[in-house]
Amino acid sequence: MKFLSFLIAIIIICPLIALFITYFICRKMRLNSTKAFGFAADVATFLLFFSVPMAVASIWKVSIVIPLIIMAIFIAITFTYIDWRTKKEIAVPQLLKKIWRVYFILLSVSYFFIFIAGLTLNVLEYVAM
Protein backbone atom coordinates (compact mmCIF):
# COMPACT_ATOMS: atom_id res chain seq x y z
CA MET A 1 0.00 0.00 0.00
CA LYS A 2 2.87 2.39 0.77
CA PHE A 3 4.42 1.65 -2.61
CA LEU A 4 1.16 2.55 -4.35
CA SER A 5 0.98 5.83 -2.41
CA PHE A 6 4.60 6.55 -3.31
CA LEU A 7 3.93 5.84 -7.00
CA ILE A 8 0.87 8.10 -7.02
CA ALA A 9 2.87 10.87 -5.35
CA ILE A 10 5.65 10.61 -7.95
CA ILE A 11 3.17 10.78 -10.85
CA ILE A 12 1.41 13.77 -9.31
CA ILE A 13 4.72 15.62 -8.80
CA CYS A 14 6.18 14.40 -12.11
CA PRO A 15 5.03 17.23 -14.42
CA LEU A 16 6.92 19.82 -12.43
CA ILE A 17 10.00 17.63 -12.23
CA ALA A 18 9.73 16.76 -15.94
CA LEU A 19 9.43 20.45 -16.84
CA PHE A 20 12.66 21.35 -15.05
CA ILE A 21 14.62 18.30 -16.20
CA THR A 22 13.53 18.64 -19.84
CA TYR A 23 14.34 22.36 -19.84
CA PHE A 24 17.76 21.69 -18.30
CA ILE A 25 18.56 18.96 -20.85
CA CYS A 26 17.45 21.13 -23.78
CA ARG A 27 19.59 24.03 -22.55
CA LYS A 28 22.57 21.68 -22.26
CA MET A 29 21.91 20.65 -25.87
CA ARG A 30 22.33 24.34 -26.72
CA LEU A 31 18.73 25.07 -27.65
CA ASN A 32 17.74 28.67 -27.03
CA SER A 33 15.67 29.23 -23.92
CA THR A 34 12.39 29.80 -25.79
CA LYS A 35 12.59 26.51 -27.71
CA ALA A 36 13.82 24.67 -24.62
CA PHE A 37 10.91 25.92 -22.54
CA GLY A 38 8.45 25.13 -25.36
CA PHE A 39 9.65 21.55 -25.57
CA ALA A 40 9.65 21.21 -21.77
CA ALA A 41 6.09 22.57 -21.70
CA ASP A 42 5.05 20.00 -24.32
CA VAL A 43 6.40 17.16 -22.19
CA ALA A 44 4.84 18.58 -19.04
CA THR A 45 1.45 19.03 -20.75
CA PHE A 46 1.34 15.35 -21.64
CA LEU A 47 2.04 14.43 -18.01
CA LEU A 48 -0.41 17.04 -16.68
CA PHE A 49 -3.23 15.32 -18.57
CA PHE A 50 -2.65 12.32 -16.29
CA SER A 51 -1.60 13.98 -13.05
CA VAL A 52 -4.39 16.57 -12.71
CA PRO A 53 -7.20 13.96 -12.71
CA MET A 54 -5.12 11.72 -10.45
CA ALA A 55 -4.53 14.56 -7.98
CA VAL A 56 -8.23 15.44 -7.90
CA ALA A 57 -9.16 11.78 -7.42
CA SER A 58 -6.68 11.36 -4.58
CA ILE A 59 -7.82 14.51 -2.75
CA TRP A 60 -11.59 14.56 -3.30
CA LYS A 61 -12.32 10.99 -4.52
CA VAL A 62 -13.93 12.38 -7.70
CA SER A 63 -13.07 11.45 -11.28
CA ILE A 64 -12.64 14.36 -13.68
CA VAL A 65 -11.31 12.38 -16.63
CA ILE A 66 -14.45 12.74 -18.77
CA PRO A 67 -14.91 16.48 -18.04
CA LEU A 68 -11.22 17.02 -18.81
CA ILE A 69 -11.53 15.25 -22.16
CA ILE A 70 -14.70 17.21 -22.99
CA MET A 71 -12.95 20.47 -22.07
CA ALA A 72 -9.96 19.57 -24.27
CA ILE A 73 -12.22 18.76 -27.22
CA PHE A 74 -14.22 21.97 -26.71
CA ILE A 75 -11.01 24.06 -26.64
CA ALA A 76 -9.74 22.36 -29.80
CA ILE A 77 -13.04 22.95 -31.60
CA THR A 78 -13.15 26.59 -30.49
CA PHE A 79 -9.61 27.33 -31.60
CA THR A 80 -10.14 25.53 -34.91
CA TYR A 81 -13.31 27.53 -35.56
CA ILE A 82 -11.61 30.84 -34.69
CA ASP A 83 -8.64 29.95 -36.92
CA TRP A 84 -10.94 28.99 -39.77
CA ARG A 85 -13.00 32.20 -39.46
CA THR A 86 -9.98 34.50 -39.32
CA LYS A 87 -7.59 32.84 -41.76
CA LYS A 88 -9.86 30.81 -44.08
CA GLU A 89 -7.04 28.29 -44.45
CA ILE A 90 -5.96 26.35 -41.41
CA ALA A 91 -2.27 25.69 -40.78
CA VAL A 92 -2.61 22.48 -38.80
CA PRO A 93 0.83 22.35 -37.10
CA GLN A 94 0.54 25.93 -35.83
CA LEU A 95 -3.04 25.32 -34.70
CA LEU A 96 -2.09 22.17 -32.80
CA LYS A 97 0.83 23.98 -31.16
CA LYS A 98 -1.47 26.82 -30.08
CA ILE A 99 -4.06 24.39 -28.68
CA TRP A 100 -1.39 22.37 -26.86
CA ARG A 101 0.05 25.53 -25.26
CA VAL A 102 -3.42 26.57 -24.05
CA TYR A 103 -3.76 23.10 -22.52
CA PHE A 104 -0.41 23.67 -20.79
CA ILE A 105 -1.53 26.97 -19.30
CA LEU A 106 -4.92 25.70 -18.15
CA LEU A 107 -3.60 22.44 -16.74
CA SER A 108 -0.67 24.15 -15.03
CA VAL A 109 -2.97 26.65 -13.32
CA SER A 110 -5.32 23.81 -12.35
CA TYR A 111 -2.39 21.77 -11.07
CA PHE A 112 -1.17 24.69 -8.95
CA PHE A 113 -4.58 25.31 -7.37
CA ILE A 114 -5.15 21.59 -6.76
CA PHE A 115 -1.72 21.38 -5.13
CA ILE A 116 -2.49 24.36 -2.87
CA ALA A 117 -5.94 22.95 -2.00
CA GLY A 118 -4.51 19.53 -1.18
CA LEU A 119 -1.78 21.04 0.94
CA THR A 120 -4.29 23.22 2.79
CA LEU A 121 -6.65 20.30 3.41
CA ASN A 122 -3.81 18.15 4.74
CA VAL A 123 -2.64 20.92 7.08
CA LEU A 124 -6.19 21.48 8.34
CA GLU A 125 -6.65 17.74 8.83
CA TYR A 126 -3.38 17.57 10.75
CA VAL A 127 -4.29 20.54 12.96
CA ALA A 128 -7.75 19.10 13.68
CA MET A 129 -6.25 15.88 15.04
Side-chain angles (χ1 to χ4, degrees):
M1 189 65 175
K2 288 195 181 236
F3 178 74
L4 183 62
S5 297
F6 179 75
L7 187 61
I8 289 171
I10 292 296
I11 291 172
I12 289 172
I13 303 264
C14 194
L16 187 59
I17 294 169
L19 181 73
F20 290 126
I21 290 174
T22 307
Y23 179 78
F24 180 75
I25 290 171
C26 288
R27 290 296 292 154
K28 286 294 180 189
M29 293 173 47
R30 303 204 189 258
L31 285 175
N32 67 26
S33 61
T34 305
K35 286 189 186 240
F37 185 76
F39 185 71
D42 292 342
V43 171
T45 303
F46 177 74
L47 294 173
L48 281 166
F49 266 109
F50 296 105
S51 67
V52 167
M54 189 176 289
V56 169
S58 69
I59 294 171
W60 292 292
K61 311 292 188 251
V62 176
S63 176
I64 63 161
V65 173
I66 300 300
L68 184 68
I69 292 170
I70 291 171
M71 180 203 66
I73 291 170
F74 180 74
I75 290 170
I77 289 170
T78 303
F79 272 81
T80 305
Y81 179 76
I82 291 169
D83 227 31
W84 172 70
R85 295 296 284 175
T86 57
K87 298 179 184 173
K88 298 293 183 199
E89 189 167 322
I90 299 172
V92 176
Q94 288 85 5
L95 176 65
L96 291 176
K97 187 175 184 180
K98 189 185 319 179
I99 293 168
W100 196 249
R101 297 296 159 83
V102 169
Y103 292 160
F104 173 72
I105 292 168
L106 292 175
L107 290 170
S108 295
V109 169
S110 301
Y111 181 78
F112 174 75
F113 283 122
I114 291 165
F115 181 79
I116 296 299
L119 188 63
T120 304
L121 289 172
N122 278 338
V123 167
L124 291 175
E125 183 180 307
Y126 180 75
V127 170
M129 290 179 131

